[in-house]
Amino acid sequence: MPKQSQEDKKNFIAEVAAKVFSNKGYLSSSLQDVALAAGMSKAGLYHYFKSKEELLAFILLKNTDSFLHALRACIAENVQNGMAPKDSFKSLMQTYARHLNQDQDLRLIVLRERHQLSGQYKDELFAKEQELFRTLREELKKVPDVEEDLDLNAIIFLFISMSHWLGYWFKEGLPLGMDEIIDQNIRIILKGILKE
């Protein structure tokens, strides 16, 4: 069996930690819990992460980078396909919500534990989240028929909130599947809930 690289090992530990933090909660979890779940010693874990906060920061920052990559790839593909701005923005919202909700452990950590970061970790995550927000807002600006008296920031915050809380309450076996609920949320954002 080939030896894992440093990066592969860190990613493996982060995946295990995400499950531990999701199940027990970040504050109730210890690095010992993570080490046991990963099948390694606590001393071995310290070789890769010096603290529980560093491990949480790694999980959240890596996830946010993955988000940004997915959104940029979606935008580039939409441009290449000559998609109309409204359809492109709809596609971008679908990408955001589906990417966010593809991993139950990560979506719960993003929702419940991001505020546990402090100092440089908190600042770095906030900067990346601002970049996500700006990416969505800049694409919304391109949509020509948005009502002029609506605040674009409020629209983006509404969509982000809907997407994040969906991951908190959604359970398999509901009448609507995840993709159907995402599409319905997007329809509400774009058209409202009342018949014209």
Side-chain angles (χ1 to χ4, degrees):
M1 184 174 176
K3 187 176 178 181
Q4 283 186 308
S5 69
Q6 176 97 352
E7 183 180 354
D8 287 342
K9 192 69 174 179
K10 288 184 79 167
N11 287 333
F12 167 72
I13 293 168
E15 286 177 21
V16 171
K19 293 186 186 313
V20 172
F21 294 164
S22 174
N23 291 331
K24 293 189 71 172
Y26 174 76
L27 292 178
S28 299
S29 302
S30 67
L31 285 181
Q32 181 64 41
D33 294 327
V34 176
L36 285 172
M40 61 192 303
S41 69
K42 189 174 176 182
L45 183 63
Y46 275 119
H47 177 70
Y48 299 97
F49 297 99
K50 304 303 181 197
S51 69
K52 189 169 71 165
E53 186 180 17
E54 181 184 344
L55 180 49
L56 178 63
F58 181 85
I59 293 168
L60 291 172
L61 292 169
K62 183 173 185 280
N63 182 62
T64 308
D65 284 338
S66 175
F67 253 124
L68 284 167
H69 176 77
L71 293 185
R72 289 172 182 150
C74 177
I75 292 168
E77 183 176 347
N78 292 346
V79 168
Q80 185 176 0
N81 292 334
M83 197 175 281
K86 181 179 176 181
D87 293 332
S88 180
F89 184 65
K90 181 179 177 182
S91 169
L92 191 65
M93 287 194 292
Q94 288 170 330
T95 297
Y96 182 95
R98 288 176 179 151
H99 190 83
L100 172 67
N101 288 292
Q102 68 185 349
D103 184 306
Q104 181 179 8
D105 296 318
L106 276 175
R107 73 187 184 213
L108 290 177
I109 290 172
V110 169
L111 186 63
R112 295 188 317 209
E113 310 294 1
R114 60 178 295 286
H115 67 282
Q116 303 293 347
L117 296 183
S118 61
Q120 181 182 344
Y121 296 135
K122 180 180 179 180
D123 293 343
E124 192 174 346
L125 181 62
F126 181 72
K128 288 180 183 292
E129 289 175 340
Q130 289 291 98
E131 194 171 348
L132 278 172
F133 183 89
R134 284 192 301 270
T135 300
L136 290 165
R137 188 182 60 197
E138 290 306 308
E139 291 305 302
L140 177 57
K141 278 183 181 177
K142 297 174 185 175
V143 179
D145 48 356
V146 174
E147 293 188 34
E148 293 178 2
D149 63 332
L150 294 178
D151 184 271
L152 298 187
N153 288 347
I155 295 170
I156 298 302
F157 276 125
L158 174 62
F159 168 68
I160 289 173
S161 299
M162 290 171 79
S163 299
H164 281 258
W165 279 102
L166 166 61
Y168 197 72
W169 60 261
F170 176 80
K171 301 283 186 287
E172 296 295 340
L174 293 174
L176 295 179
M178 176 68 79
D179 284 347
E180 292 169 304
I181 293 173
I182 288 170
D183 288 343
Q184 181 170 286
N185 284 352
I186 290 170
R187 196 175 87 200
I188 290 168
I189 292 281
L190 296 178
K191 295 184 177 180
I193 64 170
L194 300 179
K195 293 180 179 178
E196 294 181 359

